[in-house]
Each structure stands twice: as C-alpha cells, then as structure tokens.
Amino acid sequence: MQTTTSPALRKTGSAAPSGPKLELITAIATLGGLLFGYDTGVISGALPFMALPGNEGGLDLTPAEEGLVAAALVFGATFGALFGGRLSDRQGRKRNIMLLAVIFFIGAIGCAMAPNTAMIILARFVLGLAVGGASATVPVFLAELAPASRRGQIVTVNELMIVTGQLIAYSSNAVLGSVSGDGHVWRWMLVLASLPAVLLWLGMLLVPESARWLVSQGRIDQARRSLTRTRPSDNVDDELREMQATAEQDAKTGQGSLRDLRTPWVRKLVLLGIAIAFLSQTTGVNSIMYFAPSVLISTGLDTQAALVATICNGVVSVIGTLLGIYLLHRGVGRRPIIITGQAGLTVALALIGFFFLLPESTLRSYLVLAGMLAFLFFMQACIGPIFWLLLAEIFPLRIRGFATGLAVSFVWIANTIVSLVFPILINAIHGATFFLFAVINIGTLVFYIRSIPETTGRTLEKVEEELTLRFTGQIPLTQHRR
C-alpha cells in the first residue's frame, strides 16, 4: 500500500488543514449528543402533563405507564447501540450518523403526534434506536478523528452537548409549562427535537469520514485526505503509517464479530467495557434526570416550582462537564478523575437519603435538590466524561464499533432497569431508595480502583498495544494504571 506523500501535499509543509476545522467538525457531530441529551431530559417535564386526563390534553398515564414511557426510549437505545455499532463498522461512522439523524427526526415527530399511550411508547422506542446508535457511534467517531493530545477534550465535548441538550430540555419545559395553560403542551416539548436532527443531517455533509475507519477498509488515499482536513500536513504520513500497521495486524485476525469473544483476552477487555458501561448507570443518574420533578413534587413542591428547580440540574451538569473538560486539558489522568467522582457521588446519594428523613417542609425540598445538585456535579464532572471516553478508547480497531456498541447497549440495559424500578421504589420505600443506590456505588468505587486503565496521552494504537499486552498477561495491571 502506497503511503508516500504526494508532491502537492509536500509543498504545503505544515499548512493549516483545508475544509471545516476540527472544532467545527466536532460541533456538527456532537449535535447527536445534543439530541441524546434533549430526548432523555425532556420526558421529565412532559410526564406530569402526559399524566393528565385525556379531556385536559394528557394521555391519562398511570404511574406504571409513566415508567414505560420513560423506559421505552432506553429500551430502544439498547438495540440502537448494538446495531449502531455494527453498522458504523460496516458503512462508516459518517454515514451511520446521517442515518441516525433521520431516525431522530422520525421519532421526534412520532412522539409529538402520538394519539395514545401505545403510540407514544412505540415512538419513544424508535427515538431510542437513534439515541443508542448515537451513543455508540459519536464518541468513537470523535476519538478516531482527534489527535492523541486532544482526544480527551474532543470526545468529552459530546458529554458537554448531552448535558447541554438536557439543560435546553429542562429550560424549554419550564418556559412552555409556565406560558401555556394547555395540557397539550407536552407535544410542543417533544417536537422541538426535530430541529437539531435536521441540522445534524445537513452538517454531516461537510464532515470527513474517520481516517481510521477508511484505513481499516483499505482506502488509504481517502484516509490521507481525511487526515489532511484535521491535521497539519507534515504530521499526516507518520500517523497514517501507524494506523496502517495496526490495521494490518488486526486484519490477520479477521473482522470484528461475536466470534472474537472466543479469544480470552478480547473477551476480558469487552467484559471490562461492559462493566464500565453498566456501572455508570447504576449510579442512579437517570433516576434524577428522568424523574427529578416527580421526586421534588413528592417532597412538597408544586409542579411549576419543581420544573423551574430542575433547571438547576441542567446548569450544574453543564458546569460540571466543563470542569471535566478542563481537567482533561490540564492532563489529569482518567483514573484519578473517575475514582474521585465515584467517591463524591456516593456520599451525595447518602445525603439525599438522609434529607428524606427530615420532616416535610420547603427546606427539606431544597435540601433534596441540593443533594441532587452535588450528585450531578460529581457525575458530570468526573464519571460522565470519563466513561464515554474510555469506551471510545479501549477497544481494538477491528472490533471498535462492534465492541463499543455491545458495551454501550449495557448502558441502556442498566438505564432501562433503573427507569422501570425507580418509580416503584420511590413510591414504596421513599428516600431509602437513595441509600440503596449508595450501597451499590460503594462496590462500583472498589471496582474502579482495581480495574480502570490509564489511557491519557497515548494514541489509540498505543492504547490497543498496551491493553493487548495487559489482557494477555504480558504486562502487569499496575503498570498500565500509571
């Protein structure tokens, strides 16, 4: 395979890349994260209106049906992640994101026009396919697009867009809920997601395909052109040669599939990814993201006050994510960030449980809200950015899409479980639900201390080499933690 630089390319020296800059490409691709955040966050404000009787504009949802409506999206996301990861390996990251934009649009319109409970559940499931596919594809696309020195910052922009989407959802819910006296307002809340879906599809027309994926397909000239759009030209050939060497080594073992799990070290690595994904959701984060207004209403706040208070959740999530991006920019390692965050959110969960034991009052409501904010700060500053980043980094190129999709599907499996059981638990044991989550997260903290690898400052090819050696027993775990 030819890897020499063309005369035209050599003349450019270290000229700036042509076409959209890396920052613009990142902004376009992470509209998928914005949609992810909006569609998962908007339901918290829509549910109180959807529970109204039909003659008042709602769907007359029971508590169990509220859980089903919330869980339908995350259940669909499980399948979206599984199939989205495989599709991104087969047809490319860019084409897959464009397909997901179409599904986002169809799902948003379907939710807004749903005439009954069955149809809203079906439309939320379709929307979940897009959310799951985006969660498996966008971080991988960004990780493959970014240079090693900026990968942490670039990938975690997707997490920033997720929480920004949630903040937009909470804010628009509060505004629409306050200015509209119509019970049909939940339809307007849900239809707004169709706008960024259109922008995502149009924007991706300007974005190059992942050079690493192109190399894995043997399309070297196209990979070089892709790299020249995101790198100084004098860096292109060295990086391209490293990609080719890794792709050629991977090609000897075939394309990624379930058969790869028969290889012990691959199976161990995929199980590590699944554990990271699953445990990120047993923090209970989505019990707060999806049901915060309902929880606050249960402490004595009225519906409108609860919707406005929930905006604070979105603001703190954005601030926390910005801090996480700053820490990665400063070169702080993945391990210390995620371990610190896990310890902090575990304490916050215990505090929320304690505040529920206090006598009912406005003070108790705001103490519960403060506990939620502390939890979300640690979650979004430390856990959210790092677990998505690790899932985009740790898998070999030949199975990256497939393995990431498989691992991310467990994000949504855990999310589905939490969405279904949380309304039941909070109704049955009230604030003790948060003590239960705190106990689970003590175990997660121990797991992180023992198992999380350090990937800071390494190219994806170097990460693959080191993890291969680790899981085949050729280097000790303690060495890879450094």
Side-chain angles (χ1 to χ4, degrees):
M1 289 177 285
Q2 183 67 24
T3 61
T4 57
T5 308
S6 68
L9 189 58
R10 282 197 298 268
K11 290 178 182 178
T12 64
S14 58
S18 61
K21 302 293 186 182
L22 183 59
E23 290 77 11
L24 177 58
I25 293 170
T26 301
I28 292 170
T30 54
L31 283 172
L34 183 80
L35 284 159
F36 173 167
Y38 187 90
D39 287 322
T40 54
V42 70
I43 198 65
S44 66
L47 281 174
F49 295 99
M50 295 167 72
L52 294 173
N55 59 5
E56 296 180 23
L59 296 176
D60 200 19
L61 299 182
T62 66
E65 287 171 338
E66 288 186 41
L68 285 173
V69 169
L73 183 143
V74 293
F75 185 59
T78 303
F79 295 95
L82 279 171
F83 293 110
R86 294 300 300 274
L87 282 174
S88 74
D89 277 344
R90 291 182 180 180
Q91 68 176 12
R93 320 311 190 200
K94 174 179 175 176
R95 288 180 62 190
N96 200 46
I97 293 172
M98 294 181 73
L99 172 63
L100 293 170
V102 174
I103 301 174
F104 269 122
F105 182 82
I106 293 171
I109 298 299
C111 286
M113 297 180 66
N116 53 47
T117 302
M119 290 305 297
I120 189 68
I121 291 173
L122 177 60
R124 290 274 293 172
F125 177 84
V126 170
L127 201 56
L129 295 175
V131 169
S135 66
T137 306
V138 174
V140 168
F141 179 66
L142 295 175
E144 292 183 344
L145 203 67
S149 61
R150 299 186 61 192
R151 191 174 63 245
Q153 296 169 261
I154 294 296
V155 175
T156 51
V157 169
N158 191 56
E159 174 68 12
L160 176 62
M161 292 292 271
I162 291 172
V163 296
T164 300
Q166 290 168 337
L167 175 58
I168 292 172
Y170 300 147
S171 301
S172 61
N173 283 350
V175 171
L176 290 170
S178 63
V179 302
S180 174
D182 186 357
H184 290 284
V185 69
W186 61 270
R187 298 184 185 275
W188 291 103
M189 294 175 177
L190 298 178
V191 80
L192 289 177
S194 62
L195 299 178
V198 174
L199 293 177
L200 175 60
W201 191 89
L202 293 173
M204 287 302 294
L205 294 173
L206 306 174
V207 171
E209 179 56 90
S210 159
R212 286 181 166 90
W213 180 80
L214 291 168
V215 167
S216 74
Q217 303 299 303
R219 294 154 64 176
I220 307 305
D221 289 340
Q222 293 178 49
R224 180 182 287 108
R225 288 196 294 272
S226 175
L227 278 176
T228 59
R229 296 178 66 177
T230 57
R231 306 283 195 277
S233 57
D234 55 0
N235 294 346
V236 168
D237 278 349
D238 287 343
E239 189 166 356
L240 189 60
R241 278 191 290 269
E242 187 176 12
M243 291 180 190
Q244 286 182 261
T246 300
E248 288 168 2
Q249 182 63 34
D250 284 347
K252 296 176 182 178
T253 52
Q255 295 295 313
S257 68
L258 285 171
R259 288 190 298 273
D260 283 277
L261 300 182
R262 298 173 185 172
T263 305
W265 75 267
V266 173
R267 184 168 61 249
K268 291 177 183 177
L269 183 55
V270 171
L271 287 174
L272 172 65
I274 288 172
I276 292 170
F278 189 88
L279 293 174
S280 72
Q281 302 307 296
T282 56
T283 55
V285 58
N286 289 304
S287 65
I288 292 175
M289 287 300 188
Y290 299 164
F291 300 105
S294 300
V295 170
L296 292 173
I297 289 169
S298 75
T299 66
L301 288 183
D302 63 38
T303 299
Q304 187 57 36
L307 288 175
V308 172
T310 303
I311 296 175
C312 297
N313 289 353
V315 172
V316 168
S317 293
V318 170
I319 292 171
T321 304
L322 287 171
L323 176 61
I325 292 173
Y326 173 76
L327 292 174
L328 289 167
H329 174 68
R330 298 290 296 176
V332 180
R334 282 43 158 170
R335 278 178 54 81
I337 293 176
I338 198 170
I339 290 170
T340 300
Q342 186 64 31
L345 69 82
T346 301
V347 172
L349 285 167
L351 285 174
I352 296 172
F354 172 75
F355 293 146
F356 264 93
L357 299 176
L358 300 176
E360 182 174 333
S361 64
T362 302
L363 175 62
R364 184 183 75 157
S365 298
Y366 285 106
L367 285 174
V368 170
L369 175 62
M372 289 181 178
L373 297 179
F375 169 89
L376 288 172
F377 178 79
F378 284 107
M379 180 71 199
Q380 305 298 4
C382 303
I383 308 298
I386 300 301
F387 96 83
W388 286 116
L389 180 54
L390 287 171
L391 293 182
E393 292 178 324
I394 63 175
F395 299 119
L397 176 61
R398 77 174 188 276
I399 64 166
R400 187 167 293 145
F402 158 70
T404 302
L406 179 60
V408 170
S409 71
F410 280 84
V411 169
W412 300 108
I413 289 171
N415 203 328
T416 301
I417 294 169
V418 170
S419 299
L420 285 172
V421 305
F422 181 79
I424 299 170
L425 286 173
I426 201 72
N427 185 60
I429 61 175
H430 308 294
T433 303
F434 294 97
F435 288 128
L436 177 61
F437 278 118
V439 170
I440 292 170
N441 281 280
I442 292 171
T444 300
L445 177 61
V446 173
F447 171 79
Y448 284 167
I449 293 171
R450 292 173 57 88
S451 302
I452 292 293
E454 185 57 77
T455 59
T456 302
R458 298 161 169 86
T459 65
L460 291 178
E461 289 71 31
K462 187 64 176 177
V463 170
E464 178 174 341
E465 177 187 347
E466 292 184 358
L467 285 173
T468 300
L469 292 173
R470 167 183 163 179
F471 282 95
T472 54
Q474 298 178 59
I475 62 172
L477 171 60
T478 53
Q479 181 177 331
H480 198 70
R481 286 175 178 169
R482 293 198 295 270

